[in-house]
């Protein structure tokens, strides 16, 4: 992109005396605002993830949203959907650096791990959450800014860590109450095994070149494995009959794969071997997997991952094995919504009704104590002159979803009391409570 610094735009002379109303700006296509109450469901999911990661001893890593373009070109592979057509890349017009909004986070995690020499004292288990950017056609479950949560274990070569990560994801589905998610599993073997398979695959595809679409023809010699991932139904028969990578795996690769499967079997996690599962990035080897649902149409993959033992070296680090996955937050929430099991947004515990502004000092003091004790309190705030009528305050209190109202009326305050009123269970019931007992009384009412 070239510099877009424009010369001083000579302003059009304003004809009417009134300034023209500025045209409202809207968000970029495919990039969404997240508003309450839906944002509470995101927080709910994020809390679940934080708890789960802590219990598995995975620690949080936060990397920049912008990285050097070269990181993704080197890390993901040049002949991938992401690098070929989905990246938001631009030149920093101040210093000419080539930058990209991260389309995924694994490459950045690896860069950070190498840059900070994090593996010097052994393997690391990490997780992240955050926005990713891909220029795709926006539709349900596919956005240009979307969010991933990912887990990565770096520095561990063994199949037990592959299994740990898969089980971690499966546990998350359980804790979120996700249904109808199935696990698909494959092994991509090692580079030499892939090379042998690649030759057989190209030979097979060449004998059916008439059936291949343009993209497949283009990838026939650059990245034939990716052709197996095609969504073009016309090519399915050819792809189905193609030589399977799994038949080219040597003893060590098979042993690794079998060890992963054995732990999954022993843990009661079911899976389907999908020999065509290859994943979008070039960096994977050995174990690859996806969690898939049929309930979200063609955006059915909610989580994908695998082993990437060569990526660290590829971005300039000392060779070290690694494995990880990433889930799509929008798709997981969409699936929960589809099931009808997304938690409802909850209101505050207490709504503080303030008939007159003169009560505010007592109101602040009282509700601050409630908040310190962990209760959530929404204070009424005036919308025009003064605090507003009692009627409008009660309407707001009801609308807030609060369980209880505390009414700081002048007469009661003069006696050192407030009125505590139920807004939900036994709505209408009310009692006068001495100010000194408010915290205990409210707490008792809330259980
Ligand atoms: P797809 O085949 O659906 O394009 P992908 O293989 O490109 O997915 P990954 O790069 O493996 O996806 O990303 C991991 C997860 O992130 C996906 O399984 C999906 O849940 C989510 N995801 C990927 N791209 C998008 C997007 N554009 N919008 C929303 N979620 C996405
Ligand atoms: Mg994609």
């Amino acid at each position: 992109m070239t510099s877009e610094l424009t010369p001083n735009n000579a302003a059009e002379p304003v004809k009417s005396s009134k300034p023209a109303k500025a045209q409202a700006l809207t968000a970029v296509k495919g990039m969404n605002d997240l508003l309450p109450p839906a944002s509470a469901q995101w927080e709910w999911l994020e809390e679940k993830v934080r708890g789960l990661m802590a219990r598995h001893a995975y620690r949080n890593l936060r990397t920049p949203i912008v990285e050097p373009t070269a990181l993704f070109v080197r890390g993901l592979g040049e002949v991938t959907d992401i690098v070929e057509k989905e990246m938001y890349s631009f030149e920093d017009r101040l210093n000419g650096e080539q930058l990209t909004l991260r389309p995924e986070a694994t490459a950045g995690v690896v860069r950070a791990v190498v840059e900070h020499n994090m593996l010097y004292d052994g393997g690391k288990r990490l997780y992240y959450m955050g926005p990713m950017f891909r220029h795709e056609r926006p539709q349900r479950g596919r956005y240009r800014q979307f969010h991933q949560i990912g887990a990565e274990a770096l520095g561990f070569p063994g199949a037990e860590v592959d299994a740990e990560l898969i089980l971690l994801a499966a546990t998350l589905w359980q804790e979120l109450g996700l249904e109808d998610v199935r696990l698909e599993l494959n092994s991509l073997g090692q580079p030499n095994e892939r090379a042998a398979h690649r030759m057989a695959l190209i030979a097979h595809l060449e004998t059916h070149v008439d059936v291949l679409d343009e993209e497949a023809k283009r990838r026939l010699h650059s990245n034939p494995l990716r052709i197996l991932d095609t969504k073009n139904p016309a090519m399915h028969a050819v792809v189905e009959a193609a030589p399977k990578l799994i038949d080219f795996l040597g003893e060590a690769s098979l042993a690794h794969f079998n060890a992963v499967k054995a732990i999954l079997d022993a843990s009661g996690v079911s899976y389907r071997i999908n020999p065509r599962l290859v994943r979008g990035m070039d960096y994977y080897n050995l174990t690859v997997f996806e969690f898939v649902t049929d309930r979200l149409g063609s955006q059915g993959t909610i989580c994908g991952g695998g082993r990437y033992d060569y990526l660290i070296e590829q971005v300039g680090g000392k060779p070290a094995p690694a494995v990880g996955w990433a889930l799509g937050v929008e798709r997981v929430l969409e699936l929960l919504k589809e099931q009808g099991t997304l938690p409802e947004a909850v209101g505050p515990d207490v709504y503080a009704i303030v008939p007159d502004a003169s009560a505010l000092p007592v109101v602040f003091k009282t509700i601050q104590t409630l908040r310190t004790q962990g209760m959530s309190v929404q204070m009424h705030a005036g919308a025009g002159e003064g605090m507003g009528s009692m009627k409008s305050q009660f309407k707001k209190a009801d609308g807030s979803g609060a369980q209880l109202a505390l009414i700081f009326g002048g007469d009661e305050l003069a006696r050192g009391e407030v009125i505590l009123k139920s807004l939900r269970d036994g709505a209408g019931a009310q009692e006068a409570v001495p100010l000194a007992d408010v915290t205990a009384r409210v707490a008792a009412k809330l259980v």
Side-chain angles (χ1 to χ4, degrees):
M1 202 169 84
T2 52
S3 162
E4 285 186 354
L5 279 176
T6 42
N8 281 339
N9 261 337
E12 290 276 312
V14 181
K15 295 198 179 84
S16 102
S17 56
K18 262 195 190 165
K21 192 164 180 281
Q23 206 192 337
L25 294 169
T26 56
V28 175
K29 185 177 174 199
M31 306 200 180
N32 300 308
D33 297 310
L34 178 58
L35 313 178
S39 52
Q41 294 162 341
W42 283 62
E43 290 185 309
W44 167 80
L45 171 70
E46 289 160 5
E47 279 312 307
K48 291 266 183 199
V49 169
R50 283 196 190 96
L52 184 73
M53 294 296 176
R55 280 179 280 132
H56 285 74
Y58 279 66
R59 294 160 78 186
N60 189 224
L61 176 73
R62 305 182 188 201
T63 59
I65 284 168
V66 178
E67 296 276 1
T69 302
L71 174 66
F72 302 114
V73 176
R74 252 202 263 168
L76 309 190
E78 246 165 293
V79 195
T80 54
D81 280 347
I82 294 181
V83 172
E84 278 186 337
K85 51 191 187 204
E86 295 175 358
M87 294 205 303
Y88 282 93
S89 297
F90 57 98
E91 182 185 302
D92 183 331
R93 62 185 175 186
L94 298 180
N95 62 10
E97 276 184 88
Q98 296 300 322
L99 304 175
T100 294
L101 295 183
R102 63 183 186 192
E104 57 95 62
T106 300
V109 167
V110 166
R111 184 211 32 79
V113 162
V114 171
E115 189 168 335
H116 303 286
N117 194 22
M118 285 174 68
L119 301 181
Y120 80 100
D121 62 347
K124 291 285 171 293
R125 291 171 161 96
L126 304 167
Y127 79 95
Y128 60 82
M129 309 189 190
M132 308 296 157
F133 303 84
R134 296 184 193 176
H135 194 100
E136 302 194 71
R137 193 169 67 78
Q139 53 198 289
R140 180 191 185 201
R142 195 174 291 286
Y143 310 97
R144 290 183 175 173
Q145 174 174 327
F146 63 101
H147 297 75
Q148 287 186 339
I149 293 173
E152 319 274 4
L154 304 104
F156 305 102
E160 69 277 9
V161 183
D162 306 31
E164 173 181 274
L165 274 160
I166 294 171
L167 292 172
L168 172 55
T171 309
L172 179 60
W173 314 145
Q174 236 169 38
E175 294 194 2
L176 296 175
L178 269 191
E179 298 154 11
D180 293 339
V181 177
R182 58 171 196 280
L183 169 61
E184 303 211 332
L185 201 60
N186 192 20
S187 175
L188 299 182
Q190 298 293 6
N192 60 329
E193 295 155 358
R194 264 154 86 164
H197 168 255
R198 185 190 151 104
M199 277 169 53
L201 180 60
I202 293 176
H204 168 80
L205 293 171
E206 274 176 338
T207 61
H208 296 91
V209 81
D210 46 314
V211 193
L212 302 186
D213 59 22
E214 282 313 307
E215 180 165 281
K217 278 184 195 143
R218 209 162 35 79
R219 287 183 167 171
L220 184 53
H221 293 278
S222 59
N223 198 349
L225 201 57
R226 284 302 314 259
I227 299 175
L228 301 181
D229 203 16
T230 182
K231 282 167 184 148
N232 181 354
M235 286 166 48
H236 274 174
V238 172
V239 157
E240 198 68 54
K244 293 184 171 49
L245 182 44
I246 204 141
D247 297 328
F248 289 76
L249 299 193
E251 232 172 85
S253 295
L254 280 175
H256 188 100
F257 197 35
N258 289 334
V260 175
K261 290 190 285 184
I263 300 171
L264 296 181
D265 290 336
S267 309
V269 168
S270 52
Y271 52 85
R272 190 178 76 93
I273 307 292
N274 176 359
R276 287 211 312 274
L277 180 63
V278 297
R279 311 267 317 122
M281 285 66 121
D282 277 358
Y283 53 55
Y284 290 109
N285 68 303
L286 291 174
T287 320
V288 287
F289 54 91
E290 285 185 353
F291 287 92
V292 187
T293 175
D294 294 325
R295 290 196 183 187
L296 297 178
S298 54
Q299 272 62 251
T301 306
I302 61 164
C303 175
R307 190 159 266 289
Y308 50 94
D309 293 333
Y310 302 97
L311 181 60
I312 298 181
E313 189 176 7
Q314 214 162 303
V315 304
K318 207 167 108 219
V323 50
W325 53 248
L327 67 80
V329 176
E330 285 85 353
R331 292 188 194 177
V332 167
L333 288 169
E334 191 68 36
L335 183 53
L336 283 164
K337 196 161 135 204
E338 183 76 27
Q339 289 178 191
T341 55
L342 257 182
E344 293 286 320
V346 292
D349 296 322
V350 177
Y351 193 97
I353 289 181
V354 190
D356 190 87
S358 60
L360 283 171
V362 185
V363 173
F364 270 91
K365 189 160 178 262
T366 310
I367 64 180
Q368 207 47 41
T369 310
L370 292 174
R371 289 167 176 158
T372 321
Q373 298 302 310
M375 290 164 246
S376 69
V377 186
Q378 181 172 338
M379 184 188 70
H380 183 78
E385 292 265 303
M387 300 303 293
S389 71
M390 286 295 273
K391 187 165 167 236
S392 72
Q393 293 204 33
F394 270 113
K395 220 170 136 192
K396 285 266 189 277
D398 269 328
S400 76
Q403 302 289 312
L404 303 169
L406 272 178
I407 306 150
F408 292 81
D411 295 346
E412 288 79 16
L413 285 181
R415 290 195 296 270
E417 291 176 341
V418 286
I419 303 286
L420 177 59
K421 186 171 179 202
S422 294
L423 296 174
R424 300 272 167 268
D425 305 333
Q430 64 176 60
E431 57 182 304
V433 179
L435 275 170
D437 302 341
V438 169
T439 307
R441 196 67 202 115
V442 168
K445 279 271 195 185
L446 286 173
V447 288

